[in-house]
């Protein structure tokens, strides 16, 4: 599964099934960045829960799951769209990625209403307003943390990797 760095309080993540399980460092994997905030290759640390036999990767807070643009860049893009102000300069590749990200966000409004309905009421037809409302909770780093913990979801997709693996009952 995947956690965000801000969800990890100690030196290593806890097993989601049993926090007493021994979790060992399990190398890293490389992810490409398409952003001045990201390195061309970012190494994501991975951990292995020994009793469960499952890995936990810990995504740095400036990174989005599966998207090559950084959290600050996407936040600036969404802020600019929602408030109808000019946005920071971006390469064509970044622009394409940001455009797809906003499109995904618009498709997620019903899901947000279901998940965050306890915190705030949404007008599901107004993506810009929803973004402004979400920003009242904090910056994008904070929003992603809130969606991951406790809701186990993310801004642009309900990634299966954010869910804990099932407990081993044998
Ligand atoms: Zn475990």
């Amino acid at each position: 599964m995947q956690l965000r760095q801000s969800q990890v309080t100690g030196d290593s993540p806890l097993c989601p099934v049993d926090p007493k399980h021994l979790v060992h460092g399990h190398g890293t994997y490389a992810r490409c960045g398409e952003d001045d905030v990201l390195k061309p290759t970012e190494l994501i640390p991975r951990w292995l829960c020994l009793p469960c036999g499952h890995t936990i990767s810990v995504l740095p807070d400036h990174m989005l799951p599966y998207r090559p643009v950084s959290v600050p860049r996407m936040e600036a893009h969404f802020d600019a769209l929602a408030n109808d102000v000019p946005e920071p300069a971006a390469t064509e590749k970044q622009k394409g990625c940001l455009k797809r990200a906003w499109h995904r966000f618009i498709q997620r409004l019903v899901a947000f209403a279901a998940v965050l309905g306890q915190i705030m009421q949404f007008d599901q037809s107004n993506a810009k307003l929803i973004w402004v409302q979400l920003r009242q909770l904090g910056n994008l780093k904070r929003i992603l943390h809130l969606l991951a913990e406790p809701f186990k979801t993310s801004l642009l997709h309900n990634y299966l990797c954010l869910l804990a693996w099932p407990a081993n009952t044998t």
Side-chain angles (χ1 to χ4, degrees):
M1 73 178 296
Q2 189 177 81
L3 295 175
R4 303 194 64 74
Q5 181 62 52
S6 62
Q7 293 176 267
V8 178
T9 46
D11 293 337
S12 60
L14 298 176
C15 169
V17 170
D18 184 342
K20 291 197 281 296
H21 280 174
L22 259 183
V23 172
H24 277 196
H26 196 58
T28 57
Y29 69 95
R31 257 200 46 182
C32 297
E34 188 59 56
D35 203 315
D36 26 322
V37 180
L38 304 174
K39 299 179 202 110
T41 303
E42 294 256 356
L43 293 179
I44 313 298
R46 192 160 42 188
W47 303 81
L48 174 68
C49 174
L50 297 174
C52 294
H54 283 272
T55 58
I56 305 166
S57 58
V58 179
L59 199 65
D61 286 316
H62 65 280
M63 293 181 78
L64 292 157
Y66 301 110
R67 305 257 163 184
V69 290
S70 70
V71 164
R73 181 171 286 280
M74 205 176 89
E75 179 186 289
H77 176 70
F78 281 22
D79 281 351
L81 275 179
N83 298 298
D84 292 315
V85 295
E87 58 185 289
T91 65
E92 287 307 313
K93 234 175 170 175
Q94 289 163 354
K95 281 181 196 165
C97 185
L98 292 167
K99 203 175 157 185
R100 286 191 294 278
W102 181 256
H103 187 69
R104 275 298 305 166
F105 176 67
I106 289 173
Q107 292 174 329
R108 296 269 293 150
L109 303 185
V110 174
F112 284 135
V115 166
L116 297 173
Q118 309 149 36
I119 299 177
M120 51 174 62
Q121 289 300 311
F122 290 125
D123 171 0
Q124 289 167 30
S125 62
N126 192 333
K128 291 183 176 184
L129 186 61
I130 288 185
W131 178 251
V132 171
Q133 281 180 279
L134 285 174
R135 289 286 271 122
Q136 287 164 7
L137 300 171
N139 59 14
L140 179 53
K141 175 185 163 184
R142 172 83 186 130
I143 294 166
L144 288 166
H145 178 87
L146 275 172
L147 289 170
E149 195 79 52
F151 299 115
K152 309 290 180 210
T153 189
S154 190
L155 192 69
L156 301 178
H157 196 77
N158 201 11
Y159 301 106
L160 284 176
C161 66
L162 303 184
L163 302 176
W165 56 82
N168 191 345
T169 50
T170 54

